[in-house]
Amino acid sequence: MKRLFICVMLALPLAISAQTERGKIFQNEYNLNVLNHRIDSVVAATKGERLPVIGIGTLFADGRTATEQVYIDAVRAAGGAPVMIPIGDDVAAIDRILDGIDGLVIPGGEDVLPFLYGEEPDTHFGKDCLERDYFEISLIRLARKRGIPILSVCRGMQVTNVALGGTLCQDIPSADYSPKIQHGQWSTTSTPHHSISIDKGSQLYSILGAKAQVNSTHHQCVKQPAPGMRIVAKAPDDVPEAMEGDGILCVQFHPEAMIWKHPEMLGIYKWIVEKASRK
């Protein structure tokens, strides 16, 4: 009981501080003149400058178009302006949307349908979303033609490889990777779960160095890299954990879930923002 009391007393000043700060920000929340002043200040401060706009792919969630907040937070923390791109099959509309973005993030999610890389689904194949597969493949190919830089995360790495002509391992545990390690961690995704070795001279090496500890929430991975892409990081069992090409960085882990406890991971999102700002 004494320990609990001490914890509460330590946390109380932080809570008060947060509420005080919120009070400063929102003390005139119903005064639109104050809001207008804030808008004018931002416009004046950014005149001649422009935050790079980073498009983030989406998924279907209970009848809603959605993306996880961590992707949005990571793009903002890296200095970009995030926008969500809704799933659709109108290629002309997708191409038009790309007029308004400078960089692209392809997030994690479902398994990629094996028909799209010339295989039948095996007994370990999981949940799929064909609409999302076609949408993201269109998005990636169009962005590639336009020279828009791409950061692909987890499933994003897999669908990027398929979009560009590569293949996937449908299930790591039943494949021949050795020694066997767990890639589908049950702990919080902010916690590192296994190590990776990174090739010297790669873009990822310049961000994280030769070794890193990463989270791991996947059962599929890249098998044959697409033309123009190369594997630049592997887990101890030789499972591909990162892949790069011209203007493309793919990681099999989730840096956006780790950035608050492991700030070096924000460098991956700073990479896409920096690339987008040069576009």
Side-chain angles (χ1 to χ4, degrees):
M1 189 68 173
K2 187 175 180 182
R3 273 187 199 166
L4 178 60
F5 176 75
I6 292 170
C7 291
V8 169
M9 290 302 292
L10 287 172
L12 192 56
L14 295 176
I16 293 171
S17 175
Q19 286 299 319
T20 302
E21 191 60 31
R22 185 187 184 281
K24 288 179 182 176
I25 294 170
F26 292 102
Q27 60 187 343
N28 292 302
E29 61 186 323
Y30 299 116
N31 188 330
L32 295 185
N33 289 328
V34 173
L35 174 61
N36 198 47
H37 176 71
R38 290 175 63 195
I39 291 170
D40 288 343
S41 297
V42 169
V43 171
T46 58
K47 202 167 185 179
E49 298 178 9
R50 181 174 166 271
L51 292 179
V53 177
I54 309 297
I56 303 172
T58 55
L59 50 80
F60 293 132
D62 301 322
R64 298 178 177 88
T65 293
T67 197
E68 292 184 52
Q69 185 67 35
V70 284
Y71 294 106
I72 293 170
D73 291 343
V75 168
R76 283 178 175 154
V83 295
M84 292 167 55
I85 306 177
I87 293 174
D89 60 2
D90 186 334
V91 176
I94 296 171
D95 188 54
R96 180 68 181 86
I97 289 170
L98 290 178
D99 285 339
I101 71 168
D102 305 300
L104 179 63
V105 173
I106 305 294
E110 306 92 344
D111 289 355
V112 180
L113 196 66
F115 291 144
L116 297 173
Y117 51 95
E119 294 185 12
E120 293 284 340
D122 70 16
T123 56
H124 302 282
F125 182 72
K127 183 181 178 182
D128 65 275
C129 180
L130 184 59
E131 295 90 346
R132 185 178 178 189
D133 290 343
Y134 271 88
F135 162 68
E136 288 183 340
I137 288 170
S138 299
L139 199 57
I140 292 160
R141 290 182 173 181
L142 287 167
R144 181 83 160 164
K145 288 179 182 294
R146 286 170 166 260
I148 294 173
I150 301 170
L151 171 62
S152 299
V153 176
C154 200
R155 166 202 153 89
M157 174 168 168
Q158 297 160 17
V159 74
T160 297
N161 196 49
V162 172
L164 300 179
T167 62
L168 304 179
C169 166
Q170 292 190 44
D171 186 63
I172 295 167
S174 59
D176 294 329
Y177 294 104
S178 179
K180 295 293 185 184
I181 68 171
Q182 176 61 270
H183 286 273
Q185 75 183 75
W186 292 98
S187 58
T188 170
T189 53
S190 64
T191 304
H193 194 64
H194 66 71
S195 62
I196 60 171
S197 299
I198 304 169
D199 290 354
K200 191 172 183 178
S202 65
Q203 295 172 101
L204 191 61
Y205 182 93
S206 68
I207 299 169
L208 297 179
K211 282 268 190 184
Q213 291 183 325
V214 300
N215 52 14
S216 192
T217 60
H218 61 106
H219 80 107
Q220 296 194 318
C221 66
V222 167
K223 183 163 62 176
Q224 180 63 44
M229 302 298 294
R230 68 183 185 98
I231 302 301
V232 298
K234 290 184 177 181
D237 55 2
D238 278 342
V239 165
E241 290 285 336
M243 182 176 70
E244 296 179 1
D246 185 21
I248 301 178
L249 173 58
C250 306
V251 294
Q252 190 57 73
F253 49 97
H254 283 274
E256 67 286 342
M258 297 179 68
I259 60 174
W260 310 116
K261 291 184 178 180
H262 304 274
E264 70 276 7
M265 289 293 171
L266 184 59
I268 293 173
Y269 279 84
K270 286 183 176 178
W271 175 87
I272 186 66
V273 170
E274 182 182 349
K275 285 283 185 182
S277 66
R278 297 178 188 172
K279 180 180 167 290

